[in-house]
CSV table of all heavy atoms in Angstrom, one decimal:
chain,number,residue,atom,x,y,z
A,1,ALA,N,0.8,-1.2,0.0
A,1,ALA,CA,0.0,0.0,0.0
A,1,ALA,C,0.9,1.2,0.0
A,1,ALA,O,1.8,1.3,0.8
A,1,ALA,CB,-0.9,0.0,1.2
A,2,GLY,N,0.5,2.2,-0.9
A,2,GLY,CA,1.3,3.4,-1.0
A,2,GLY,C,2.6,3.3,-1.7
A,2,GLY,O,3.3,4.2,-1.8
A,3,GLN,N,2.9,2.1,-2.3
A,3,GLN,CA,4.1,1.9,-3.0
A,3,GLN,C,3.8,2.1,-4.5
A,3,GLN,O,2.8,1.8,-5.0
A,3,GLN,CB,4.7,0.6,-2.7
A,3,GLN,CG,5.1,0.4,-1.3
A,3,GLN,CD,5.6,-1.1,-1.0
A,3,GLN,OE1,5.5,-1.9,-1.9
A,3,GLN,NE2,6.0,-1.3,0.1
A,4,ASP,N,4.8,2.5,-5.2
A,4,ASP,CA,4.7,2.6,-6.7
A,4,ASP,C,4.9,1.2,-7.3
A,4,ASP,O,5.6,0.4,-6.8
A,4,ASP,CB,5.8,3.6,-7.3
A,4,ASP,CG,5.6,5.0,-6.9
A,4,ASP,OD1,4.4,5.4,-6.7
A,4,ASP,OD2,6.5,5.7,-6.8
A,5,ALA,N,4.2,1.0,-8.4
A,5,ALA,CA,4.3,-0.3,-9.1
A,5,ALA,C,5.6,-0.3,-9.8
A,5,ALA,O,6.1,0.7,-10.3
A,5,ALA,CB,3.1,-0.5,-10.0
A,6,PRO,N,6.2,-1.5,-10.0
A,6,PRO,CA,7.4,-1.6,-10.7
A,6,PRO,C,7.2,-1.2,-12.2
A,6,PRO,O,6.1,-1.3,-12.7
A,6,PRO,CB,7.8,-3.1,-10.7
A,6,PRO,CG,7.0,-3.6,-9.5
A,6,PRO,CD,5.8,-2.8,-9.4
A,7,THR,N,8.3,-0.8,-12.8
A,7,THR,CA,8.2,-0.4,-14.3
A,7,THR,C,7.7,-1.5,-15.1
A,7,THR,O,8.0,-2.6,-14.9
A,7,THR,CB,9.6,0.0,-14.7
A,7,THR,OG1,10.2,1.1,-13.9
A,7,THR,CG2,9.7,0.5,-16.2
A,8,GLY,N,6.8,-1.1,-16.1
A,8,GLY,CA,6.2,-2.1,-17.0
A,8,GLY,C,4.9,-2.7,-16.5
A,8,GLY,O,4.3,-3.4,-17.2
A,9,MET,N,4.5,-2.4,-15.3
A,9,MET,CA,3.3,-2.9,-14.7
A,9,MET,C,2.1,-2.0,-15.1
A,9,MET,O,2.3,-0.8,-15.1
A,9,MET,CB,3.4,-3.1,-13.2
A,9,MET,CG,4.5,-4.0,-12.7
A,9,MET,SD,4.2,-5.7,-13.1
A,9,MET,CE,3.3,-6.1,-11.6
A,10,ASN,N,0.9,-2.5,-15.3
A,10,ASN,CA,-0.3,-1.8,-15.4
A,10,ASN,C,-0.9,-1.6,-14.0
A,10,ASN,O,-0.8,-2.5,-13.2
A,10,ASN,CB,-1.3,-2.4,-16.3
A,10,ASN,CG,-0.9,-2.4,-17.8
A,10,ASN,OD1,0.0,-1.6,-18.2
A,10,ASN,ND2,-1.5,-3.2,-18.6
A,11,VAL,N,-1.5,-0.4,-13.8
A,11,VAL,CA,-2.1,-0.2,-12.5
A,11,VAL,C,-3.5,0.3,-12.7
A,11,VAL,O,-3.7,1.3,-13.5
A,11,VAL,CB,-1.3,0.9,-11.7
A,11,VAL,CG1,-2.0,1.1,-10.3
A,11,VAL,CG2,0.1,0.4,-11.5
A,12,LEU,N,-4.5,-0.3,-12.0
A,12,LEU,CA,-5.9,0.2,-12.1
A,12,LEU,C,-6.4,0.5,-10.7
A,12,LEU,O,-6.2,-0.3,-9.8
A,12,LEU,CB,-6.8,-0.9,-12.6
A,12,LEU,CG,-6.5,-1.4,-14.0
A,12,LEU,CD1,-7.4,-2.6,-14.4
A,12,LEU,CD2,-6.8,-0.3,-15.0
A,13,PRO,N,-7.0,1.7,-10.4
A,13,PRO,CA,-7.6,1.9,-9.2
A,13,PRO,C,-8.9,1.2,-9.1
A,13,PRO,O,-9.6,1.0,-10.1
A,13,PRO,CB,-7.8,3.4,-9.2
A,13,PRO,CG,-8.0,3.8,-10.6
A,13,PRO,CD,-7.1,2.8,-11.4
A,14,GLY,N,-9.3,0.8,-7.9
A,14,GLY,CA,-10.6,0.0,-7.8
A,14,GLY,C,-11.1,0.0,-6.3
A,14,GLY,O,-10.5,0.6,-5.5
A,15,ILE,N,-12.2,-0.6,-6.1
A,15,ILE,CA,-12.8,-0.8,-4.8
A,15,ILE,C,-13.0,-2.3,-4.6
A,15,ILE,O,-13.6,-3.0,-5.4
A,15,ILE,CB,-14.2,-0.1,-4.7
A,15,ILE,CG1,-14.1,1.4,-5.1
A,15,ILE,CG2,-14.8,-0.4,-3.4
A,15,ILE,CD1,-13.3,2.2,-4.0
A,16,GLN,N,-12.4,-2.8,-3.6
A,16,GLN,CA,-12.6,-4.3,-3.3
A,16,GLN,C,-14.0,-4.5,-2.8
A,16,GLN,O,-14.5,-3.9,-2.0
A,16,GLN,CB,-11.6,-4.7,-2.2
A,16,GLN,CG,-11.7,-6.1,-1.8
A,16,GLN,CD,-10.8,-6.5,-0.7
A,16,GLN,OE1,-9.7,-6.2,-0.8
A,16,GLN,NE2,-11.4,-7.1,0.3
A,17,GLN,N,-14.6,-5.5,-3.5
A,17,GLN,CA,-16.0,-5.9,-3.2
A,17,GLN,C,-16.1,-7.1,-2.3
A,17,GLN,O,-17.1,-7.2,-1.5
A,17,GLN,CB,-16.8,-6.1,-4.5
A,17,GLN,CG,-16.8,-4.9,-5.4
A,17,GLN,CD,-17.6,-3.8,-4.9
A,17,GLN,OE1,-18.7,-3.9,-4.4
A,17,GLN,NE2,-17.0,-2.6,-4.9
A,18,GLN,N,-15.2,-8.0,-2.5
A,18,GLN,CA,-15.3,-9.3,-1.7
A,18,GLN,C,-13.9,-9.9,-1.6
A,18,GLN,O,-13.1,-9.7,-2.4
A,18,GLN,CB,-16.2,-10.2,-2.5
A,18,GLN,CG,-16.4,-11.6,-1.9
A,18,GLN,CD,-17.2,-12.5,-2.8
A,18,GLN,OE1,-16.9,-12.6,-4.0
A,18,GLN,NE2,-18.2,-13.2,-2.3
A,19,ALA,N,-13.7,-10.6,-0.5
A,19,ALA,CA,-12.4,-11.3,-0.3
A,19,ALA,C,-12.7,-12.7,0.3
A,19,ALA,O,-13.6,-12.8,1.2
A,19,ALA,CB,-11.5,-10.5,0.7
A,20,ILE,N,-12.1,-13.7,-0.3
A,20,ILE,CA,-12.3,-15.1,0.2
A,20,ILE,C,-10.9,-15.6,0.4
A,20,ILE,O,-10.0,-15.6,-0.5
A,20,ILE,CB,-13.0,-15.9,-0.8
A,20,ILE,CG1,-14.4,-15.4,-1.1
A,20,ILE,CG2,-13.1,-17.4,-0.3
A,20,ILE,CD1,-15.1,-16.0,-2.2
A,21,TYR,N,-10.6,-16.0,1.7
A,21,TYR,CA,-9.3,-16.6,2.0
A,21,TYR,C,-9.3,-18.1,1.8
A,21,TYR,O,-10.2,-18.8,2.3
A,21,TYR,CB,-8.9,-16.3,3.4
A,21,TYR,CG,-7.5,-16.8,3.8
A,21,TYR,CD1,-6.4,-16.3,3.2
A,21,TYR,CD2,-7.4,-17.8,4.8
A,21,TYR,CE1,-5.1,-16.8,3.6
A,21,TYR,CE2,-6.2,-18.3,5.1
A,21,TYR,CZ,-5.0,-17.8,4.5
A,21,TYR,OH,-3.8,-18.3,4.9
A,22,LEU,N,-8.4,-18.6,0.9
A,22,LEU,CA,-8.4,-20.0,0.5
A,22,LEU,C,-7.1,-20.7,0.9
A,22,LEU,O,-6.5,-21.4,0.1
A,22,LEU,CB,-8.7,-20.2,-1.0
A,22,LEU,CG,-9.9,-19.5,-1.5
A,22,LEU,CD1,-9.9,-19.4,-3.0
A,22,LEU,CD2,-11.1,-20.3,-1.0
A,23,GLY,N,-6.7,-20.5,2.1
A,23,GLY,CA,-5.5,-21.2,2.6
A,23,GLY,C,-4.3,-20.3,2.1
A,23,GLY,O,-4.0,-19.2,2.6
A,24,GLU,N,-3.5,-20.8,1.2
A,24,GLU,CA,-2.3,-20.1,0.6
A,24,GLU,C,-2.7,-19.1,-0.4
A,24,GLU,O,-1.8,-18.4,-0.9
A,24,GLU,CB,-1.3,-21.1,0.1
A,24,GLU,CG,-1.7,-21.7,-1.3
A,24,GLU,CD,-2.6,-22.9,-1.2
A,24,GLU,OE1,-3.0,-23.4,-0.1
A,24,GLU,OE2,-3.0,-23.4,-2.3
A,25,MET,N,-4.0,-18.9,-0.7
A,25,MET,CA,-4.4,-17.9,-1.7
A,25,MET,C,-5.6,-17.2,-1.2
A,25,MET,O,-6.5,-17.7,-0.5
A,25,MET,CB,-4.7,-18.7,-3.0
A,25,MET,CG,-5.2,-17.8,-4.1
A,25,MET,SD,-5.5,-18.8,-5.6
A,25,MET,CE,-6.9,-19.8,-5.1
A,26,ALA,N,-5.7,-15.9,-1.7
A,26,ALA,CA,-6.9,-15.1,-1.4
A,26,ALA,C,-7.5,-14.8,-2.8
A,26,ALA,O,-6.8,-14.5,-3.8
A,26,ALA,CB,-6.5,-13.8,-0.7
A,27,GLN,N,-8.8,-14.8,-2.9
A,27,GLN,CA,-9.5,-14.5,-4.1
A,27,GLN,C,-10.3,-13.2,-3.8
A,27,GLN,O,-11.1,-13.2,-2.8
A,27,GLN,CB,-10.5,-15.6,-4.5
A,27,GLN,CG,-11.3,-15.3,-5.7
A,27,GLN,CD,-12.3,-16.4,-6.0
A,27,GLN,OE1,-11.9,-17.6,-6.2
A,27,GLN,NE2,-13.5,-16.1,-6.1
A,28,TYR,N,-10.2,-12.2,-4.7
A,28,TYR,CA,-10.9,-11.0,-4.5
A,28,TYR,C,-11.7,-10.7,-5.7
A,28,TYR,O,-11.4,-11.1,-6.8
A,28,TYR,CB,-9.9,-9.8,-4.4
A,28,TYR,CG,-8.9,-9.9,-3.2
A,28,TYR,CD1,-7.6,-10.4,-3.4
A,28,TYR,CD2,-9.3,-9.5,-2.0
A,28,TYR,CE1,-6.7,-10.4,-2.3
A,28,TYR,CE2,-8.4,-9.5,-0.9
A,28,TYR,CZ,-7.1,-10.0,-1.1
A,28,TYR,OH,-6.3,-10.1,0.0
A,29,ARG,N,-12.8,-10.0,-5.5
A,29,ARG,CA,-13.6,-9.4,-6.6
A,29,ARG,C,-13.5,-7.9,-6.3
A,29,ARG,O,-13.6,-7.4,-5.2
A,29,ARG,CB,-15.0,-9.8,-6.5
A,29,ARG,CG,-15.2,-11.2,-6.9
A,29,ARG,CD,-16.7,-11.6,-6.7
A,29,ARG,NE,-17.7,-10.8,-7.3
A,29,ARG,CZ,-18.2,-10.9,-8.5
A,29,ARG,NH1,-17.9,-12.0,-9.2
A,29,ARG,NH2,-19.1,-10.1,-8.9
A,30,ALA,N,-13.2,-7.1,-7.4
A,30,ALA,CA,-13.0,-5.7,-7.3
A,30,ALA,C,-13.7,-4.9,-8.4
A,30,ALA,O,-13.8,-5.5,-9.6
A,30,ALA,CB,-11.5,-5.3,-7.3
A,31,GLN,N,-14.2,-3.8,-8.1
A,31,GLN,CA,-14.9,-2.9,-9.1
A,31,GLN,C,-13.8,-2.0,-9.6
A,31,GLN,O,-13.2,-1.3,-8.8
A,31,GLN,CB,-16.0,-2.2,-8.5
A,31,GLN,CG,-16.8,-1.3,-9.4
A,31,GLN,CD,-17.9,-0.6,-8.7
A,31,GLN,OE1,-18.1,-0.7,-7.5
A,31,GLN,NE2,-18.6,0.2,-9.5
A,32,VAL,N,-13.7,-1.9,-11.0
A,32,VAL,CA,-12.7,-1.0,-11.6
A,32,VAL,C,-13.5,-0.2,-12.7
A,32,VAL,O,-14.4,-0.7,-13.2
A,32,VAL,CB,-11.5,-1.7,-12.2
A,32,VAL,CG1,-10.6,-2.4,-11.1
A,32,VAL,CG2,-11.9,-2.7,-13.2
A,33,GLY,N,-13.0,1.0,-13.0
A,33,GLY,CA,-13.6,1.7,-14.1
A,33,GLY,C,-15.0,2.1,-13.8
A,33,GLY,O,-15.8,2.3,-14.8
A,34,GLY,N,-15.5,2.1,-12.6
A,34,GLY,CA,-16.8,2.5,-12.3
A,34,GLY,C,-17.9,1.4,-12.3
A,34,GLY,O,-18.8,1.4,-11.5
A,35,SER,N,-17.7,0.4,-13.2
A,35,SER,CA,-18.7,-0.7,-13.2
A,35,SER,C,-18.2,-2.1,-13.5
A,35,SER,O,-18.9,-3.0,-13.3
A,35,SER,CB,-19.8,-0.3,-14.3
A,35,SER,OG,-19.2,-0.3,-15.6
A,36,GLU,N,-17.0,-2.2,-14.0
A,36,GLU,CA,-16.4,-3.5,-14.4
A,36,GLU,C,-16.0,-4.2,-13.1
A,36,GLU,O,-15.4,-3.6,-12.2
A,36,GLU,CB,-15.2,-3.4,-15.3
A,36,GLU,CG,-15.6,-2.8,-16.6
A,36,GLU,CD,-16.5,-3.7,-17.4
A,36,GLU,OE1,-16.3,-4.9,-17.4
A,36,GLU,OE2,-17.4,-3.2,-18.1
A,37,ILE,N,-16.3,-5.5,-13.0
A,37,ILE,CA,-15.9,-6.4,-11.9
A,37,ILE,C,-14.8,-7.3,-12.4
A,37,ILE,O,-14.9,-8.0,-13.4
A,37,ILE,CB,-17.1,-7.2,-11.3
A,37,ILE,CG1,-18.2,-6.3,-10.9
A,37,ILE,CG2,-16.6,-8.1,-10.2
A,37,ILE,CD1,-17.8,-5.4,-9.6
A,38,VAL,N,-13.7,-7.4,-11.7
A,38,VAL,CA,-12.6,-8.3,-12.0
A,38,VAL,C,-12.3,-9.2,-10.9
A,38,VAL,O,-12.6,-8.9,-9.7
A,38,VAL,CB,-11.3,-7.5,-12.4
A,38,VAL,CG1,-11.5,-6.7,-13.6
A,38,VAL,CG2,-10.8,-6.7,-11.2
A,39,LYS,N,-11.9,-10.4,-11.2
A,39,LYS,CA,-11.5,-11.4,-10.1
A,39,LYS,C,-9.9,-11.4,-10.0
A,39,LYS,O,-9.3,-11.4,-11.1
A,39,LYS,CB,-12.0,-12.7,-10.5
A,39,LYS,CG,-11.8,-13.8,-9.4
A,39,LYS,CD,-12.4,-15.1,-9.8
A,39,LYS,CE,-13.9,-15.1,-9.9
A,39,LYS,NZ,-14.3,-16.5,-10.2
A,40,ILE,N,-9.4,-11.3,-8.9
A,40,ILE,CA,-8.0,-11.2,-8.6
A,40,ILE,C,-7.6,-12.4,-7.6
A,40,ILE,O,-8.3,-12.6,-6.6
A,40,ILE,CB,-7.6,-9.9,-7.9
A,40,ILE,CG1,-8.2,-8.7,-8.8
A,40,ILE,CG2,-6.2,-9.8,-7.6
A,40,ILE,CD1,-8.3,-7.4,-8.0
A,41,PHE,N,-6.5,-13.0,-7.9
A,41,PHE,CA,-5.9,-14.1,-7.1
A,41,PHE,C,-4.6,-13.6,-6.5
A,41,PHE,O,-3.7,-13.1,-7.3
A,41,PHE,CB,-5.7,-15.4,-7.8
A,41,PHE,CG,-7.1,-15.9,-8.4
A,41,PHE,CD1,-7.5,-15.6,-9.6
A,41,PHE,CD2,-7.9,-16.7,-7.5
A,41,PHE,CE1,-8.7,-16.1,-10.1
A,41,PHE,CE2,-9.1,-17.2,-8.0
A,41,PHE,CZ,-9.5,-16.9,-9.3
A,42,ASP,N,-4.4,-13.7,-5.2
A,42,ASP,CA,-3.2,-13.3,-4.6
A,42,ASP,C,-2.6,-14.5,-3.8
A,42,ASP,O,-3.2,-15.0,-2.9
A,42,ASP,CB,-3.5,-12.1,-3.6
A,42,ASP,CG,-2.3,-11.5,-2.9
A,42,ASP,OD1,-1.2,-11.8,-3.3
A,42,ASP,OD2,-2.5,-10.8,-1.9
A,43,MET,N,-1.4,-14.9,-4.3
A,43,MET,CA,-0.8,-16.1,-3.6
A,43,MET,C,0.0,-15.6,-2.4
A,43,MET,O,0.6,-14.6,-2.4
A,43,MET,CB,0.2,-16.7,-4.6
A,43,MET,CG,-0.4,-17.2,-5.9
A,43,MET,SD,-1.7,-18.4,-5.6
A,43,MET,CE,-0.8,-19.8,-5.0
A,44,ASN,N,-0.2,-16.3,-1.3
A,44,ASN,CA,0.4,-16.1,0.0
A,44,ASN,C,0.2,-14.6,0.5
A,44,ASN,O,1.1,-13.9,0.7
A,44,ASN,CB,1.9,-16.4,-0.1
A,44,ASN,CG,2.2,-17.8,-0.5
A,44,ASN,OD1,1.6,-18.7,0.1
A,44,ASN,ND2,3.1,-18.0,-1.4
A,45,PRO,N,-1.1,-14.2,0.6
A,45,PRO,CA,-1.4,-12.9,1.0
A,45,PRO,C,-0.9,-12.6,2.4
A,45,PRO,O,-0.9,-13.5,3.3
A,45,PRO,CB,-2.9,-12.8,0.9
A,45,PRO,CG,-3.4,-14.2,1.2
A,45,PRO,CD,-2.3,-15.1,0.5
A,46,ARG,N,-0.4,-11.4,2.6
A,46,ARG,CA,0.1,-11.0,4.0
A,46,ARG,C,-1.1,-10.4,4.8
A,46,ARG,O,-1.0,-10.3,6.0
A,46,ARG,CB,1.2,-10.0,3.9
A,46,ARG,CG,2.5,-10.6,3.2
A,46,ARG,CD,3.5,-9.6,3.1
A,46,ARG,NE,4.7,-10.2,2.4
A,46,ARG,CZ,5.8,-9.6,2.2
A,46,ARG,NH1,5.9,-8.3,2.5
A,46,ARG,NH2,6.8,-10.1,1.5
A,47,LYS,N,-2.1,-9.8,4.1
A,47,LYS,CA,-3.2,-9.2,4.7
A,47,LYS,C,-4.4,-9.3,3.9
A,47,LYS,O,-4.3,-9.2,2.6
A,47,LYS,CB,-2.8,-7.7,4.9
A,47,LYS,CG,-3.9,-6.9,5.6
A,47,LYS,CD,-3.5,-5.4,5.7
A,47,LYS,CE,-4.6,-4.6,6.3
A,47,LYS,NZ,-4.2,-3.2,6.5
A,48,ILE,N,-5.6,-9.6,4.5
A,48,ILE,CA,-6.8,-9.6,3.8
A,48,ILE,C,-7.5,-8.3,4.1
A,48,ILE,O,-7.8,-8.0,5.3
A,48,ILE,CB,-7.7,-10.8,4.2
A,48,ILE,CG1,-7.0,-12.1,4.0
A,48,ILE,CG2,-9.0,-10.8,3.5
A,48,ILE,CD1,-6.6,-12.5,2.6
A,49,ARG,N,-7.8,-7.5,3.1
A,49,ARG,CA,-8.4,-6.2,3.3
A,49,ARG,C,-9.9,-6.3,3.4
A,49,ARG,O,-10.6,-7.3,2.9
A,49,ARG,CB,-8.1,-5.3,2.1
A,49,ARG,CG,-6.6,-4.9,2.2
A,49,ARG,CD,-6.2,-4.1,0.9
A,49,ARG,NE,-4.8,-3.7,1.0
A,49,ARG,CZ,-3.8,-4.4,0.7
A,49,ARG,NH1,-4.0,-5.7,0.4
A,49,ARG,NH2,-2.6,-4.0,0.8
A,50,GLU,N,-10.6,-5.3,4.1
A,50,GLU,CA,-12.0,-5.3,4.3
A,50,GLU,C,-12.7,-4.9,3.0
A,50,GLU,O,-12.2,-4.1,2.2
A,50,GLU,CB,-12.4,-4.3,5.3
A,50,GLU,CG,-11.8,-4.6,6.7
A,50,GLU,CD,-12.5,-5.8,7.3
A,50,GLU,OE1,-13.7,-6.0,7.1
A,50,GLU,OE2,-11.8,-6.6,8.0
A,51,SER,N,-13.9,-5.4,2.7
A,51,SER,CA,-14.7,-5.0,1.6
A,51,SER,C,-15.0,-3.5,1.7
A,51,SER,O,-15.1,-2.9,2.7
A,51,SER,CB,-16.1,-5.7,1.6
A,51,SER,OG,-15.9,-7.1,1.3
A,52,GLY,N,-15.0,-2.8,0.5
A,52,GLY,CA,-15.2,-1.4,0.4
A,52,GLY,C,-13.9,-0.6,0.4
A,52,GLY,O,-13.9,0.6,0.3
A,53,THR,N,-12.8,-1.3,0.6
A,53,THR,CA,-11.5,-0.7,0.6
A,53,THR,C,-11.0,-0.2,-0.8
A,53,THR,O,-11.2,-1.0,-1.7
A,53,THR,CB,-10.4,-1.6,1.2
A,53,THR,OG1,-10.8,-2.1,2.5
A,53,THR,CG2,-9.0,-1.0,1.3
A,54,ALA,N,-10.5,1.0,-0.9
A,54,ALA,CA,-9.9,1.5,-2.1
A,54,ALA,C,-8.6,0.8,-2.3
A,54,ALA,O,-7.8,0.7,-1.4
A,54,ALA,CB,-9.8,3.0,-2.1
A,55,ILE,N,-8.4,0.2,-3.5
A,55,ILE,CA,-7.2,-0.5,-3.8
A,55,ILE,C,-6.6,0.0,-5.1
A,55,ILE,O,-7.2,0.6,-5.9
A,55,ILE,CB,-7.4,-2.0,-3.9
A,55,ILE,CG1,-8.5,-2.4,-4.9
A,55,ILE,CG2,-7.8,-2.6,-2.5
A,55,ILE,CD1,-8.7,-3.8,-5.1
A,56,ARG,N,-5.3,-0.4,-5.3
A,56,ARG,CA,-4.6,-0.2,-6.6
A,56,ARG,C,-4.2,-1.6,-7.1
A,56,ARG,O,-3.5,-2.3,-6.3
A,56,ARG,CB,-3.4,0.7,-6.5
A,56,ARG,CG,-3.8,2.1,-6.2
A,56,ARG,CD,-2.6,3.0,-5.9
A,56,ARG,NE,-1.7,3.0,-7.1
A,56,ARG,CZ,-0.4,2.8,-7.0
A,56,ARG,NH1,0.2,2.6,-5.8
A,56,ARG,NH2,0.4,2.9,-8.0
A,57,ILE,N,-4.6,-2.0,-8.2
A,57,ILE,CA,-4.3,-3.3,-8.8
A,57,ILE,C,-3.1,-3.2,-9.8
A,57,ILE,O,-3.3,-2.6,-10.8
A,57,ILE,CB,-5.5,-3.9,-9.5
A,57,ILE,CG1,-6.8,-3.9,-8.5
A,57,ILE,CG2,-5.2,-5.3,-10.0
A,57,ILE,CD1,-8.1,-4.1,-9.2
A,58,ALA,N,-2.0,-3.8,-9.4
A,58,ALA,CA,-0.8,-3.7,-10.3
A,58,ALA,C,-0.6,-5.1,-10.8
A,58,ALA,O,-0.6,-6.1,-10.1
A,58,ALA,CB,0.4,-3.3,-9.5
A,59,PHE,N,-0.4,-5.2,-12.2
A,59,PHE,CA,-0.2,-6.5,-12.8
A,59,PHE,C,0.7,-6.3,-14.0
A,59,PHE,O,0.7,-5.3,-14.7
A,59,PHE,CB,-1.5,-7.1,-13.1
A,59,PHE,CG,-2.4,-6.2,-14.0
A,59,PHE,CD1,-2.4,-6.4,-15.4
A,59,PHE,CD2,-3.2,-5.2,-13.5
A,59,PHE,CE1,-3.1,-5.5,-16.2
A,59,PHE,CE2,-4.0,-4.4,-14.3
A,59,PHE,CZ,-3.9,-4.6,-15.7
A,60,ASP,N,1.4,-7.4,-14.4
A,60,ASP,CA,2.2,-7.5,-15.6
A,60,ASP,C,1.2,-7.8,-16.7
A,60,ASP,O,0.4,-8.8,-16.7
A,60,ASP,CB,3.2,-8.6,-15.4
A,60,ASP,CG,4.2,-8.7,-16.6
A,60,ASP,OD1,3.8,-8.4,-17.7
A,60,ASP,OD2,5.3,-9.0,-16.3
A,61,PRO,N,1.2,-7.0,-17.8
A,61,PRO,CA,0.3,-7.2,-18.9
A,61,PRO,C,0.5,-8.7,-19.5
A,61,PRO,O,-0.5,-9.2,-20.0
A,61,PRO,CB,0.7,-6.2,-20.0
A,61,PRO,CG,1.4,-5.1,-19.2
A,61,PRO,CD,2.0,-5.8,-18.0
A,62,ALA,N,1.6,-9.3,-19.4
A,62,ALA,CA,1.8,-10.6,-19.9
A,62,ALA,C,1.1,-11.7,-19.1
A,62,ALA,O,0.9,-12.8,-19.6
A,62,ALA,CB,3.3,-10.9,-19.9
A,63,ASP,N,0.6,-11.3,-17.9
A,63,ASP,CA,0.0,-12.3,-17.0
A,63,ASP,C,-1.6,-12.2,-17.2
A,63,ASP,O,-2.3,-12.9,-16.4
A,63,ASP,CB,0.3,-12.1,-15.5
A,63,ASP,CG,1.8,-12.4,-15.3
A,63,ASP,OD1,2.3,-13.2,-16.0
A,63,ASP,OD2,2.4,-11.9,-14.3
A,64,VAL,N,-2.1,-11.4,-18.0
A,64,VAL,CA,-3.5,-11.2,-18.1
A,64,VAL,C,-4.1,-12.2,-19.0
A,64,VAL,O,-3.6,-12.6,-20.1
A,64,VAL,CB,-3.8,-9.8,-18.7
A,64,VAL,CG1,-5.3,-9.6,-19.0
A,64,VAL,CG2,-3.4,-8.7,-17.8
A,65,VAL,N,-5.2,-12.8,-18.6
A,65,VAL,CA,-6.0,-13.8,-19.4
A,65,VAL,C,-7.4,-13.2,-19.5
A,65,VAL,O,-8.1,-13.0,-18.6
A,65,VAL,CB,-6.1,-15.2,-18.7
A,65,VAL,CG1,-6.9,-16.1,-19.5
A,65,VAL,CG2,-4.6,-15.7,-18.4
A,66,LEU,N,-7.8,-13.0,-20.8
A,66,LEU,CA,-9.1,-12.5,-21.1
A,66,LEU,C,-10.1,-13.6,-21.4
A,66,LEU,O,-9.8,-14.5,-22.1
A,66,LEU,CB,-9.1,-11.5,-22.2
A,66,LEU,CG,-8.3,-10.2,-22.0
A,66,LEU,CD1,-8.4,-9.4,-23.3
A,66,LEU,CD2,-8.9,-9.4,-20.9
A,67,LEU,N,-11.2,-13.6,-20.7
A,67,LEU,CA,-12.2,-14.7,-20.9
A,67,LEU,C,-13.5,-14.1,-21.5
A,67,LEU,O,-13.9,-13.0,-21.0
A,67,LEU,CB,-12.5,-15.4,-19.6
A,67,LEU,CG,-11.3,-16.0,-18.8
A,67,LEU,CD1,-11.8,-16.5,-17.5
A,67,LEU,CD2,-10.7,-17.1,-19.7
A,68,LYS,N,-14.0,-14.7,-22.5
A,68,LYS,CA,-15.3,-14.2,-23.1
A,68,LYS,C,-16.5,-14.7,-22.3
A,68,LYS,O,-16.4,-15.8,-21.8
A,68,LYS,CB,-15.4,-14.6,-24.6
A,68,LYS,CG,-14.3,-13.9,-25.4
A,68,LYS,CD,-14.5,-14.4,-26.9
A,68,LYS,CE,-13.5,-13.7,-27.7
A,68,LYS,NZ,-13.7,-14.0,-29.1
A,69,ASP,N,-17.6,-14.0,-22.3
A,69,ASP,CA,-18.8,-14.4,-21.7
A,69,ASP,C,-19.4,-15.6,-22.5
A,69,ASP,O,-19.3,-15.7,-23.6
A,69,ASP,CB,-19.8,-13.3,-21.6
A,69,ASP,CG,-19.4,-12.3,-20.5
A,69,ASP,OD1,-18.7,-12.6,-19.6
A,69,ASP,OD2,-19.9,-11.1,-20.6
């Protein structure tokens, strides 16, 4: 939190909507861009944030997988 993303990473501001702790992984749902919902997986999370928390999602574009409805 409060740290700059490494060079080459994409960053999206969002609002965390849901968090599920699954042992070594946390699964989040976040609202970005006002209405889009994305699912995020965090391996070995150090902290689980409360729903409604403002977040910054940083990711390597090479790690993105787009799924069609």
Side-chain angles (χ1 to χ4, degrees):
Q3 298 177 352
D4 291 330
T7 302
M9 301 287 271
N10 287 342
V11 179
L12 298 173
I15 303 293
Q16 180 181 308
Q17 300 294 313
Q18 180 184 47
I20 302 171
Y21 182 65
L22 302 168
E24 74 278 355
M25 177 178 67
Q27 175 182 306
Y28 299 99
R29 289 175 50 96
Q31 180 179 1
V32 297
S35 62
E36 295 296 319
I37 301 293
V38 297
K39 190 181 288 186
I40 304 159
F41 297 95
D42 185 12
M43 299 303 292
N44 301 312
R46 294 181 184 179
K47 178 180 178 181
I48 305 296
R49 291 174 177 78
E50 297 291 326
S51 294
T53 301
I55 59 173
R56 293 176 57 229
I57 305 162
F59 56 94
D60 187 327
D63 292 335
V64 173
V65 176
L66 297 178
L67 305 174
K68 294 183 179 185
D69 287 336

